[in-house]
Amino acid sequence: SGEAYEQGVANIKRLASEQNVPLQQNKYLKWLMENTEGVEVTDFLDPETTDRLDFSGMNIGSIPDLTKFKNLDAILAEGSNLNEMPSVDKLPMEAPLTMMSFQNNNITVAPPEGYEKLPNLFSINLKGNPIERVNVDVVAKLLDLDDFIRFAIDDDRIESLSPENKKEYQDLIGGSLG
């Protein structure tokens, strides 16, 4: 019956939140994502103790709101079917967030405005994405930060940028790192 099904889903949600394994290994969370609507992965994590979020291999489509994760150091979402990087308003600005890796997704524009406001960020890895436009102004601001050292896209993706964007990006990278 519908009532029994709802009780079963509630029990699976409880079991999903009790798991102390990486997200990809949480079989209850996987079941919920495949069989129910509106599942927020982050609802099954403790925002006080979570310091690393790894969505790699999970078909999440977009990064959920992470603002409640005040101790977050790293975000990984490799092969997660992302179409864009998370906007800065979904990120915990006061967290010690140092690294983001969004390899092998479908991201075409990077990085979003505001990333230079992340005080501890030092690495963004976007290899394996079909980058069509680099927000050179944002990358320039990131490179001006004392600790930021790495903005990585595939070298062959640079050829896919518009001629103007390609020149701006090459001038920036050549001037900053060469």
Side-chain angles (χ1 to χ4, degrees):
S1 71
E3 188 176 311
Y5 177 80
E6 291 303 319
Q7 182 60 44
V9 169
N11 287 336
I12 292 171
K13 285 181 177 179
R14 181 183 49 76
L15 290 168
S17 63
E18 292 173 353
Q19 297 297 297
N20 192 17
V21 296
L23 290 173
Q24 301 86 340
Q25 295 174 14
N26 187 331
K27 63 184 177 185
Y28 303 107
L29 179 57
K30 182 178 181 183
W31 186 91
L32 288 167
M33 291 176 69
E34 292 173 355
N35 295 288
T36 62
E37 295 291 322
V39 173
E40 278 293 330
V41 175
T42 55
D43 290 345
F44 300 93
L45 301 169
D46 181 354
E48 300 301 318
T49 60
T50 300
D51 60 359
R52 179 183 183 97
L53 286 173
D54 188 352
F55 302 105
S56 297
M58 299 175 73
N59 187 18
I60 58 172
S62 66
I63 299 291
D65 186 339
L66 304 177
T67 55
K68 64 184 176 183
F69 292 89
K70 307 298 185 207
N71 296 309
L72 197 59
D73 178 62
I75 302 170
L76 298 104
E78 300 175 356
S80 299
N81 200 30
L82 299 180
N83 292 316
E84 60 187 12
M85 295 175 68
S87 63
V88 74
D89 64 331
K90 288 186 171 186
L91 300 173
M93 298 304 287
E94 62 282 342
L97 185 61
T98 59
M99 194 260 304
M100 295 183 192
S101 183
F102 304 121
Q103 292 186 75
N104 303 316
N105 284 290
N106 303 310
I107 298 169
T108 58
V109 178
E113 293 289 328
Y115 270 48
E116 71 279 1
K117 296 176 186 169
L118 295 164
N120 300 300
L121 189 61
F122 74 81
S123 176
I124 298 174
N125 187 345
L126 297 168
K127 292 191 176 230
N129 283 282
I131 302 294
E132 295 174 359
R133 184 168 57 85
V134 173
N135 287 326
V136 177
D137 293 343
V138 177
V139 175
K141 291 174 187 173
L142 286 168
L143 292 173
D144 281 343
L145 300 175
D146 290 337
D147 295 329
F148 191 82
I149 58 168
R150 185 167 184 247
F151 178 78
I153 63 174
D154 295 311
D155 290 340
D156 63 339
R157 294 309 312 166
I158 295 170
E159 297 305 317
S160 299
L161 303 176
S162 71
E164 302 84 29
N165 193 220
K166 177 181 172 182
K167 180 175 178 1
E168 290 174 338
Y169 182 68
Q170 287 177 323
D171 287 349
L172 174 68
I173 297 302
S176 297
L177 302 177

